[in-house]
Amino acid sequence: MGCTLSSQANNVSDKVLGSNPASKAKNQSNTSSSTSSASLTPDQIVAALQERGWQAEIVTEFSLLNEMVDVDPQGILKCVDGRGSDNTQFCGPKMPGGIYAIAHNRGVTTLEGLKQITKEVASKGHVPSVHGDHSSDMLGCGFFKLWVTGRFDDMGYPRPQFDADQGANAVENAGGVIEMHHGSHAEKVVYINLVENKTLEPDEDDQRFIVDGWAAGKFGLDVPKFLIAAAATVEMLGGPKKAKIVIPSISPAQIAEALQGRGWDAEIVTDASMAGQLVDVRPEGILKCVDGRGSDNTRMGGPKMPGGIYAIAHNRGVTSIEGLKQIT
């Protein structure tokens, strides 16, 4: 469910996305095997971004129910750029610079290597692309401009041995697509999407950066370095240091399967099968324990959680009286 992200096991926020990533990224540039040995959780991504001065939170795909779309083979693997485009096939994965992100992460700097990546992306069911824009032609991709001008040098990334026009021509000649953006950057937030084979689509009237983190795993990239580069790109381009980490919502079938795996008898029923028993939650109802016994309080129309509000404290690791008061 979702993608497996990788990192060093200890001190994740410092070693993976810490506030001074350049020297650490340089030291880690040839350590893909070691950085793929432990999982990097959404909580750790949030903590690491917050250490860099970002606002970051976790949201579920359910909260974006009307915006998340299935990845489609006709969709271009495109840049995270939130501006308008001459290409409307937005239902492909999003990575900084489009397929340049793959070359950058792997240290591929030649036109021949870029052509091979273009063919690889196509072989894995996506339409490869890079982009320019209306004002700077093929240098209109901020990620590529940072790369080719050496802004990633101190992070251990070698510069490409080609310019923006040569890169675009190589991608196109190898079967890829050239996308052209228009308008000015006005992104308000960065979505880091971990829901496998799902994506969000850009909206030039309500701009956002979209980084499909799961796609980095699909292409065997060093995911910590990928996330460092994505965060650093937004920072160097003056973008919003505000992120939402999108995680999969657990389905009813997955809940049933998990309980069955623990030896429970579990099945899925519909609300229609419980007509006359299900009631609307009422503001005057108490948020109460799941306990099924009788009670001296008859305001049963509130939510039910183990121990009432103790469930919230327990889940958050809140152990003080003051913390309990705040939850109340």
Side-chain angles (χ1 to χ4, degrees):
M1 186 173 65
C3 66
T4 299
L5 299 180
S6 306
S7 170
Q8 300 289 351
N10 299 313
N11 200 11
V12 169
S13 62
D14 181 51
K15 292 186 177 179
V16 178
L17 290 172
S19 56
N20 295 300
S23 61
K24 296 177 178 64
K26 188 171 183 179
N27 291 336
Q28 295 172 356
S29 60
N30 295 314
T31 58
S32 304
S33 59
S34 65
T35 57
S36 61
S37 60
S39 63
L40 176 62
T41 68
D43 283 328
Q44 290 170 323
I45 296 172
V46 167
L49 288 171
Q50 289 172 340
E51 189 171 298
R52 294 176 72 98
W54 288 53
Q55 295 177 2
E57 63 175 326
I58 296 170
V59 299
T60 67
E61 62 176 315
F62 184 79
S63 70
L64 295 164
L65 192 60
N66 296 323
E67 299 181 68
M68 297 286 286
V69 297
D70 293 330
V71 167
D72 189 296
Q74 302 303 312
I76 57 175
L77 190 157
K78 70 180 294 318
C79 186
V80 302
D81 194 314
R83 295 176 294 170
S85 172
D86 64 347
N87 192 310
T88 58
Q89 299 298 314
F90 290 148
C91 49
K94 319 292 186 296
M95 306 174 82
I99 70 166
Y100 283 143
I102 301 174
H104 180 264
N105 190 272
R106 293 176 178 172
V108 173
T109 61
T110 66
L111 288 173
E112 184 56 37
L114 187 63
K115 290 178 183 177
Q116 291 303 315
I117 289 172
T118 302
K119 294 174 182 177
E120 176 191 351
V121 170
S123 73
K124 292 188 175 180
H126 306 295
V127 178
S129 83
V130 295
H131 81 90
D133 72 12
H134 71 290
S135 62
S136 302
D137 202 34
M138 293 315 301
L139 263 183
C141 174
F143 178 80
F144 183 80
K145 187 173 183 179
L146 292 171
W147 186 21
V148 77
T149 57
R151 297 293 298 279
F152 291 109
D153 284 1
D154 61 356
M155 295 174 67
Y157 291 101
R159 302 185 196 186
Q161 300 172 33
F162 50 86
D163 62 27
D165 290 329
Q166 291 170 328
N169 288 335
V171 169
E172 192 168 33
N173 290 337
V177 169
I178 307 304
E179 178 191 21
M180 296 302 289
H181 285 267
H182 56 259
S184 300
H185 282 288
E187 290 88 354
K188 304 181 185 73
V189 64
V190 180
Y191 281 93
I192 300 176
N193 173 37
L194 307 182
V195 184
E196 191 171 0
N197 295 321
K198 295 275 190 176
T199 191
L200 295 157
E201 297 185 319
D203 179 352
E204 63 181 304
D205 297 320
D206 186 16
Q207 292 184 28
R208 56 199 176 181
F209 288 113
I210 302 162
V211 181
D212 283 315
W214 62 266
K218 179 172 184 175
F219 288 95
L221 304 187
D222 183 316
V223 183
K225 288 176 62 178
F226 175 82
L227 293 177
I228 289 171
T233 298
V234 172
E235 293 165 0
M236 288 190 283
L237 295 177
K241 294 173 71 173
K242 179 180 179 181
K244 295 188 177 185
I245 318 303
V246 186
I247 63 172
S249 298
I250 188 167
S251 70
Q254 289 169 323
I255 295 172
E257 182 180 1
L259 289 171
Q260 289 164 354
R262 296 176 69 96
W264 288 50
D265 182 7
E267 63 177 322
I268 298 169
V269 298
T270 66
D271 56 350
S273 69
M274 301 191 70
Q277 298 184 64
L278 284 173
V279 298
D280 293 331
V281 169
R282 294 186 290 271
E284 64 273 17
I286 59 172
L287 189 158
K288 70 178 297 307
C289 184
V290 300
D291 194 314
R293 294 175 296 172
S295 171
D296 62 350
N297 193 309
T298 58
R299 293 181 296 165
M300 302 294 189
K304 317 297 186 291
M305 306 173 80
I309 69 167
Y310 284 145
I312 301 173
H314 179 266
N315 187 270
R316 294 177 181 173
V318 173
T319 59
S320 67
I321 292 293
E322 185 56 37
L324 188 62
K325 289 178 182 178
Q326 294 301 315
I327 290 172
T328 302

